[in-house]
Amino acid sequence: MKTRRSALVLLALAGLSSSLRAQTIADPDLYTKSLKAAQEALAEYGLYDNPAELARVNRIGFELAQQTPYQKFPFTFSLVDMPVPNAVSLPGGQIFVTRGLLDLGLTDDMMANVLGHEIGHVVLEHYKHLERRATLMNILSNVLLAGVIIASERSHPRTGPEAPYDPRVGYEQPGGNRVEGAAAASLVLSELLLRSYSRENEDAADEEGQKLAAAAGYDPDGARQMWLLMESRAPQAREYGYWQTHPFPDERIRAAVARKGTLKIGERHSADDYRQRTQAVLINYLDRERPKLLADAKKQERRSGGGGGGEGRRDESARPGEKSRPKPPDVVAYLKDSALATWPQGKTADAIRVEQLHGLRDRELAKPLLARDYGSLIRTYKKKQDEVRAVDPRSALLPTITTELKDFDARLKELYPRAVAVLRGGVYETSFLASFRSNFPDAREVPQVALALGEAYSRLGNQTDAVTQYLAASQADPDSSEAKRARAGLVNLTPSLKELAALQQLVDQDRDPELKRLASQRLDEMVKSYDDV
């Protein structure tokens, strides 16, 4: 009995030791390079904005991460906006799950085995086994950035049949060759980091992943289930998607089944303490390295021809009427996002949210009065309000958000008469129309504003937004003169539309059968040109 009690005490102490395991950044140089590679890839693909899935991936990921004695780097888990099903890990502990993988509908058990596999690559330090390790370390800090910048600087926007096309990003956009830039990012993440892993490395990561999943309380059979799902639903082309970086699924299914019988599913334990300590490591690193990281970000912007802005989140370089693309996050912003996802409640999380919100607010208030987009600001504030309420209903941030939302509403009421007066005067810029549409979505002037925006976007070649605004003008008051002019604009525009999103809007609407027919006809013509894709 005494022996059994002693064993139980030792097990309890082992569990306590696991929960209080020290975390650190053992190799700051490698961590910084890995961090920059992660940020550069996100600059190409973008973060996938799905709070519920981000919370799920972080919950599962940290439950697994706390099971391993490997604590050389703090793990972080992010979502990347790529349609192909994949998961990626970097040497510094940054792990990404793509939108395409989430779209497959993985269960928690499947996700645990996927994340365990990527954690396995990190904890087993497979990057050391690469034949081209020196090349990898140089590229992590240099070549990716250079490839994206060179491609951007030497390209000219092309959208015709001869233009580069990539299913991840579509045709290249004004201001840079997005297709070649995306290819540069993929080269580092796929070719050097993953495709260079040996079969033995992949098997070892699979085994480690199943062990971690079982230890964390998840079914290791999730690995087999995931592979069966991938085989049934993922693209089968070997040069595309998950199969490009994770080969031989049949063998891995058999191995997963064999290992499953040797593993015992443990109890599931909260990783809250572990997550809070991980966040502290990230924040301490940020506080220590922030000046250097910001200086590097400014150098990068100067090399790429971008403007200033440091931690800004919107691209202010777009011409009036062009769709503003989210500005790629710098490393500081990426670290803050990671720290917030790591532990989304408490003082640190609230401080990050306040800084993000006030950064958006201050940039908007710095614009001329009639160009300020309070509508977008209010939507962002309300979204953040919902997120905070979901994770911490007693957060001290909630009263601040409520107070500032009331201030924005008051500013809008004061602004409305002036905006209407400018609209009636007939002398304004496209940015004013866009702000009016966002600020006063229910105003009686919306059909007039939407028509003017549709015409402006059409002239500027922004086809998707042109169709959106024309449809809004034609449907707000179908018998109005604005509606008739908007429909005429759509009839003239549809035969020359090249953007699939614009055509799909017209196909999806049911109010105008003739427009639907024209759009379907044009869509059929366009699809033929994408057969190779």
Side-chain angles (χ1 to χ4, degrees):
M1 185 72 177
K2 183 177 180 181
T3 302
R4 183 181 179 185
R5 186 180 298 114
S6 299
L8 291 174
V9 169
L10 288 174
L11 285 173
L13 289 174
L16 181 62
S17 174
S18 174
S19 66
L20 296 179
R21 192 172 287 132
Q23 297 180 69
T24 184
I25 296 178
D27 186 341
D29 181 59
L30 172 61
Y31 184 75
T32 300
K33 289 177 178 178
S34 184
L35 193 65
K36 289 180 179 179
Q39 178 265 328
E40 288 290 350
L42 287 175
E44 279 303 315
Y45 298 113
L47 285 167
Y48 177 40
D49 186 14
N50 189 326
E53 284 292 352
L54 179 63
R56 182 172 81 110
V57 167
N58 274 270
R59 171 179 58 80
I60 297 172
F62 282 111
E63 287 174 357
L64 268 65
Q66 72 176 348
Q67 299 296 326
T68 174
Y70 181 92
Q71 302 297 327
K72 292 185 178 181
F73 299 109
F75 286 98
T76 58
F77 303 88
S78 305
L79 309 183
V80 62
D81 193 11
M82 290 179 62
V84 294
N86 212 333
V88 175
S89 57
L90 291 168
Q94 298 85 11
I95 293 174
F96 298 95
V97 174
T98 69
R99 168 170 54 88
L101 192 61
L102 295 172
D103 288 344
L104 292 179
L106 270 61
T107 65
D108 283 3
D109 289 326
M110 295 180 194
M111 182 62 72
N113 282 270
V114 170
L115 295 177
H117 173 92
E118 301 305 334
I119 292 172
H121 278 309
V122 178
V123 303
L124 298 173
E125 299 184 322
H126 283 161
Y127 76 94
K128 291 182 177 180
H129 303 167
L130 297 178
E131 294 179 1
R132 291 173 284 177
R133 182 189 173 202
T135 304
L136 167 64
M137 300 319 300
N138 288 331
I139 285 181
L140 282 177
S141 56
N142 295 315
V143 175
L144 175 58
L145 174 61
V148 173
I149 291 174
I150 290 171
S152 177
E153 288 178 343
R154 75 185 180 194
S155 68
H156 299 284
R158 293 168 289 166
T159 56
E162 78 286 353
Y165 181 87
D166 189 297
R168 296 163 297 184
V169 296
Y171 281 120
E172 63 184 61
Q173 299 298 317
N177 189 328
R178 294 275 293 148
V179 173
E180 292 183 29
S186 273
L187 173 66
V188 172
L189 294 179
S190 295
E191 180 69 27
L192 290 177
L193 288 176
L194 295 175
R195 291 178 70 188
S196 295
Y197 287 147
S198 66
R199 242 172 224 266
E200 289 75 16
N201 287 161
E202 290 292 344
D203 285 339
D206 280 348
E207 181 177 2
E208 184 71 15
Q210 282 187 281
K211 287 180 179 178
L212 288 174
Y218 294 93
D219 190 344
D221 190 51
R224 178 190 65 84
Q225 297 167 14
M226 186 275 297
W227 281 112
L228 290 175
L229 181 64
M230 288 287 290
E231 279 196 309
S232 66
R233 297 183 58 184
Q236 297 298 307
R238 295 283 170 173
E239 69 276 10
Y240 182 69
Y242 201 89
W243 309 120
Q244 185 180 36
T245 57
H246 296 72
F248 49 94
D250 294 339
E251 297 164 10
R252 298 174 81 172
I253 289 174
R254 288 193 293 270
V257 172
R259 283 191 292 264
K260 170 195 166 187
T262 67
L263 298 173
K264 181 181 178 180
I265 301 176
E267 292 185 18
R268 196 169 299 178
H269 296 286
S270 167
D272 289 357
D273 290 341
Y274 181 85
R275 295 176 69 172
Q276 291 176 65
R277 287 183 286 110
T278 301
Q279 185 188 69
V281 173
L282 295 173
I283 294 300
N284 288 338
Y285 170 85
L286 178 58
D287 290 343
R288 184 175 64 253
E289 301 292 331
R290 183 184 184 119
K292 184 177 184 302
L293 294 174
L294 287 176
D296 289 346
K298 289 180 180 179
K299 289 180 183 177
Q300 176 181 330
E301 287 188 1
R302 285 197 294 270
R303 288 177 62 188
S304 61
E311 298 175 47
R313 292 306 187 95
R314 301 300 301 176
D315 183 1
E316 306 296 345
S317 64
R319 295 174 298 176
E322 282 187 348
K323 195 171 184 178
S324 178
R325 179 171 169 251
K327 184 178 180 181
D330 58 34
V331 175
V332 172
Y334 166 64
L335 266 172
K336 289 178 182 176
D337 285 337
S338 297
L340 186 57
T342 296
W343 186 242
Q345 53 185 287
K347 292 182 179 180
T348 299
D350 283 349
I352 293 172
R353 291 188 180 101
V354 165
E355 186 175 6
Q356 290 174 343
L357 288 174
H358 286 178
L360 291 172
R361 179 200 63 185
D362 294 346
R363 283 190 293 277
E364 204 63 47
L365 295 181
K367 297 178 182 178
L369 180 62
L370 293 173
R372 294 175 187 172
D373 189 350
Y374 288 106
S376 176
L377 203 56
I378 288 172
R379 289 188 292 274
T380 301
Y381 265 69
K382 287 184 175 179
K383 180 180 178 182
K384 194 66 67 176
Q385 187 180 53
D386 291 340
E387 290 177 11
V388 175
R389 282 174 177 161
V391 299
D392 188 4
R394 294 181 291 180
S395 169
L397 179 58
L398 290 173
T400 300
I401 292 178
T402 300
T403 299
E404 294 187 10
L405 281 171
K406 290 179 180 179
D407 177 62
F408 297 149
D409 285 336
R411 289 171 182 261
L412 277 178
K413 290 178 181 178
E414 183 179 344
L415 179 63
Y416 178 67
R418 295 185 60 176
V420 171
V422 171
L423 185 64
R424 290 174 179 170
V427 180
Y428 41 71
E429 295 183 353
T430 305
S431 58
F432 164 76
L433 294 171
S435 296
F436 190 104
R437 185 83 169 84
S438 178
N439 290 336
F440 313 108
D442 300 319
R444 59 178 177 270
E445 294 85 7
V446 163
Q448 176 187 352
V449 173
L451 173 64
L453 270 175
E455 293 172 340
Y457 288 143
S458 180
R459 288 193 302 271
L460 292 166
N462 189 343
Q463 295 181 342
T464 300
D465 282 349
V467 169
T468 299
Q469 297 303 327
Y470 274 141
L471 283 174
S474 65
Q475 296 172 357
D477 184 2
D479 296 326
S480 67
S481 60
E482 288 87 1
K484 294 176 182 177
R485 288 173 57 191
R487 186 183 184 282
L490 286 170
V491 170
N492 291 331
L493 183 62
T494 300
S496 61
L497 284 177
K498 297 178 181 178
E499 296 182 11
L500 297 183
L503 285 166
Q504 195 63 49
Q505 288 186 76
L506 295 173
V507 171
D508 289 342
Q509 62 84 32
D510 295 316
R511 294 192 179 188
D512 194 321
E514 178 61 17
L515 275 175
K516 190 181 187 76
R517 184 189 66 79
L518 289 173
S520 296
Q521 181 178 334
R522 176 60 176 166
L523 193 58
D524 288 341
E525 294 173 0
M526 294 293 292
V527 167
K528 292 177 183 177
S529 68
Y530 295 147
D531 283 346
D532 288 341
V533 177

